[in-house]
PDB file of all heavy atoms in Angstrom:
ATOM      1  N   GLU A  31       0.406  36.867 -27.545  1.00 53.00           N
ATOM      2  CA  GLU A  31       0.347  36.660 -28.995  1.00 53.00           C
ATOM      3  C   GLU A  31      -0.966  36.956 -29.677  1.00 53.00           C
ATOM      4  O   GLU A  31      -1.019  36.821 -30.814  1.00 53.00           O
ATOM      5  CB  GLU A  31       0.988  35.404 -29.394  1.00 53.00           C
ATOM      6  CG  GLU A  31       2.433  35.197 -29.108  1.00 53.00           C
ATOM      7  CD  GLU A  31       2.940  33.878 -29.643  1.00 53.00           C
ATOM      8  OE1 GLU A  31       2.102  33.122 -30.109  1.00 53.00           O
ATOM      9  OE2 GLU A  31       4.164  33.750 -29.569  1.00 53.00           O
ATOM     10  N   GLY A  32      -1.987  37.141 -28.886  1.00 50.00           N
ATOM     11  CA  GLY A  32      -3.299  37.336 -29.520  1.00 50.00           C
ATOM     12  C   GLY A  32      -4.496  37.146 -28.554  1.00 50.00           C
ATOM     13  O   GLY A  32      -4.334  36.243 -27.733  1.00 50.00           O
ATOM     14  N   LEU A  33      -5.632  37.917 -28.772  1.00 50.00           N
ATOM     15  CA  LEU A  33      -6.671  37.828 -27.809  1.00 50.00           C
ATOM     16  C   LEU A  33      -7.351  36.531 -27.950  1.00 50.00           C
ATOM     17  O   LEU A  33      -7.731  35.938 -26.964  1.00 50.00           O
ATOM     18  CB  LEU A  33      -7.654  38.939 -28.081  1.00 50.00           C
ATOM     19  CG  LEU A  33      -7.202  40.293 -27.624  1.00 50.00           C
ATOM     20  CD1 LEU A  33      -8.182  41.444 -28.100  1.00 50.00           C
ATOM     21  CD2 LEU A  33      -7.093  40.291 -26.015  1.00 50.00           C
ATOM     22  N   SER A  34      -7.537  35.989 -29.164  1.00 55.00           N
ATOM     23  CA  SER A  34      -8.198  34.690 -29.394  1.00 55.00           C
ATOM     24  C   SER A  34      -7.435  33.584 -28.763  1.00 55.00           C
ATOM     25  O   SER A  34      -7.989  32.705 -28.147  1.00 55.00           O
ATOM     26  CB  SER A  34      -8.523  34.480 -30.811  1.00 55.00           C
ATOM     27  OG  SER A  34      -7.254  34.443 -31.571  1.00 55.00           O
ATOM     28  N   GLU A  35      -6.085  33.634 -28.929  1.00 57.00           N
ATOM     29  CA  GLU A  35      -5.255  32.545 -28.354  1.00 57.00           C
ATOM     30  C   GLU A  35      -5.240  32.643 -26.880  1.00 57.00           C
ATOM     31  O   GLU A  35      -5.295  31.599 -26.144  1.00 57.00           O
ATOM     32  CB  GLU A  35      -3.758  32.655 -28.837  1.00 57.00           C
ATOM     33  CG  GLU A  35      -3.652  32.403 -30.375  1.00 57.00           C
ATOM     34  CD  GLU A  35      -2.273  32.534 -30.915  1.00 57.00           C
ATOM     35  OE1 GLU A  35      -1.411  32.816 -30.094  1.00 57.00           O
ATOM     36  OE2 GLU A  35      -2.060  32.300 -32.088  1.00 57.00           O
ATOM     37  N   THR A  36      -5.164  33.865 -26.266  1.00 51.00           N
ATOM     38  CA  THR A  36      -5.249  34.035 -24.857  1.00 51.00           C
ATOM     39  C   THR A  36      -6.542  33.498 -24.298  1.00 51.00           C
ATOM     40  O   THR A  36      -6.537  32.815 -23.291  1.00 51.00           O
ATOM     41  CB  THR A  36      -5.054  35.474 -24.539  1.00 51.00           C
ATOM     42  OG1 THR A  36      -3.812  36.002 -25.060  1.00 51.00           O
ATOM     43  CG2 THR A  36      -4.984  35.646 -23.049  1.00 51.00           C
ATOM     44  N   ARG A  37      -7.655  33.775 -25.009  1.00 55.00           N
ATOM     45  CA  ARG A  37      -9.037  33.353 -24.491  1.00 55.00           C
ATOM     46  C   ARG A  37      -9.053  31.850 -24.511  1.00 55.00           C
ATOM     47  O   ARG A  37      -9.513  31.165 -23.553  1.00 55.00           O
ATOM     48  CB  ARG A  37     -10.004  33.910 -25.348  1.00 55.00           C
ATOM     49  CG  ARG A  37     -11.482  33.513 -25.014  1.00 55.00           C
ATOM     50  CD  ARG A  37     -12.458  34.012 -25.934  1.00 55.00           C
ATOM     51  NE  ARG A  37     -13.746  33.539 -25.686  1.00 55.00           N
ATOM     52  CZ  ARG A  37     -14.820  33.708 -26.437  1.00 55.00           C
ATOM     53  NH1 ARG A  37     -14.689  34.477 -27.530  1.00 55.00           N
ATOM     54  NH2 ARG A  37     -16.054  33.260 -26.170  1.00 55.00           N
ATOM     55  N   ALA A  38      -8.504  31.210 -25.543  1.00 57.00           N
ATOM     56  CA  ALA A  38      -8.531  29.763 -25.722  1.00 57.00           C
ATOM     57  C   ALA A  38      -7.680  29.034 -24.539  1.00 57.00           C
ATOM     58  O   ALA A  38      -8.051  28.083 -23.978  1.00 57.00           O
ATOM     59  CB  ALA A  38      -8.052  29.291 -27.000  1.00 57.00           C
ATOM     60  N   SER A  39      -6.541  29.761 -24.334  1.00 55.00           N
ATOM     61  CA  SER A  39      -5.691  29.234 -23.185  1.00 55.00           C
ATOM     62  C   SER A  39      -6.309  29.321 -21.837  1.00 55.00           C
ATOM     63  O   SER A  39      -6.211  28.394 -21.023  1.00 55.00           O
ATOM     64  CB  SER A  39      -4.352  30.088 -23.208  1.00 55.00           C
ATOM     65  OG  SER A  39      -3.687  29.948 -24.398  1.00 55.00           O
ATOM     66  N   VAL A  40      -7.023  30.431 -21.618  1.00 52.00           N
ATOM     67  CA  VAL A  40      -7.705  30.571 -20.303  1.00 52.00           C
ATOM     68  C   VAL A  40      -8.783  29.539 -20.176  1.00 52.00           C
ATOM     69  O   VAL A  40      -8.868  28.854 -19.079  1.00 52.00           O
ATOM     70  CB  VAL A  40      -8.311  31.939 -20.207  1.00 52.00           C
ATOM     71  CG1 VAL A  40      -9.195  32.049 -18.965  1.00 52.00           C
ATOM     72  CG2 VAL A  40      -7.161  33.022 -20.079  1.00 52.00           C
ATOM     73  N   ASP A  41      -9.576  29.246 -21.232  1.00 57.00           N
ATOM     74  CA  ASP A  41     -10.688  28.354 -21.199  1.00 57.00           C
ATOM     75  C   ASP A  41     -10.035  26.851 -20.962  1.00 57.00           C
ATOM     76  O   ASP A  41     -10.586  26.066 -20.153  1.00 57.00           O
ATOM     77  CB  ASP A  41     -11.447  28.324 -22.481  1.00 57.00           C
ATOM     78  CG  ASP A  41     -12.275  29.485 -22.601  1.00 57.00           C
ATOM     79  OD1 ASP A  41     -12.480  30.171 -21.652  1.00 57.00           O
ATOM     80  OD2 ASP A  41     -12.743  29.872 -23.698  1.00 57.00           O
ATOM     81  N   LEU A 118     -11.975  38.547 -21.144  1.00 56.00           N
ATOM     82  CA  LEU A 118     -11.496  38.277 -22.471  1.00 56.00           C
ATOM     83  C   LEU A 118     -12.657  38.071 -23.490  1.00 56.00           C
ATOM     84  O   LEU A 118     -12.595  38.620 -24.639  1.00 56.00           O
ATOM     85  CB  LEU A 118     -10.593  37.075 -22.569  1.00 56.00           C
ATOM     86  CG  LEU A 118      -9.227  37.297 -21.835  1.00 56.00           C
ATOM     87  CD1 LEU A 118      -8.576  35.932 -21.647  1.00 56.00           C
ATOM     88  CD2 LEU A 118      -8.394  38.197 -22.636  1.00 56.00           C
ATOM     89  N   SER A 122     -13.274  40.440 -26.691  1.00 69.00           N
ATOM     90  CA  SER A 122     -13.463  39.897 -28.027  1.00 69.00           C
ATOM     91  C   SER A 122     -14.708  40.452 -28.695  1.00 69.00           C
ATOM     92  O   SER A 122     -14.655  40.839 -29.903  1.00 69.00           O
ATOM     93  CB  SER A 122     -13.503  38.388 -27.932  1.00 69.00           C
ATOM     94  OG  SER A 122     -13.679  37.772 -29.238  1.00 69.00           O
ATOM     95  N   LEU A 125     -14.187  44.082 -29.853  1.00 85.00           N
ATOM     96  CA  LEU A 125     -13.345  44.242 -31.075  1.00 85.00           C
ATOM     97  C   LEU A 125     -14.203  43.872 -32.276  1.00 85.00           C
ATOM     98  O   LEU A 125     -13.701  44.184 -33.435  1.00 85.00           O
ATOM     99  CB  LEU A 125     -12.154  43.282 -30.954  1.00 85.00           C
ATOM    100  CG  LEU A 125     -11.091  43.766 -29.829  1.00 85.00           C
ATOM    101  CD1 LEU A 125      -9.943  42.758 -29.844  1.00 85.00           C
ATOM    102  CD2 LEU A 125     -10.518  45.132 -30.318  1.00 85.00           C
TER     103      LEU A 125
END
Side-chain angles (χ1 to χ4, degrees):
E31 293 182 354
L33 286 174
S34 61
E35 292 180 0
T36 303
R37 179 184 175 187
S39 297
V40 170
D41 290 341
L118 289 170
S122 178
L125 290 177

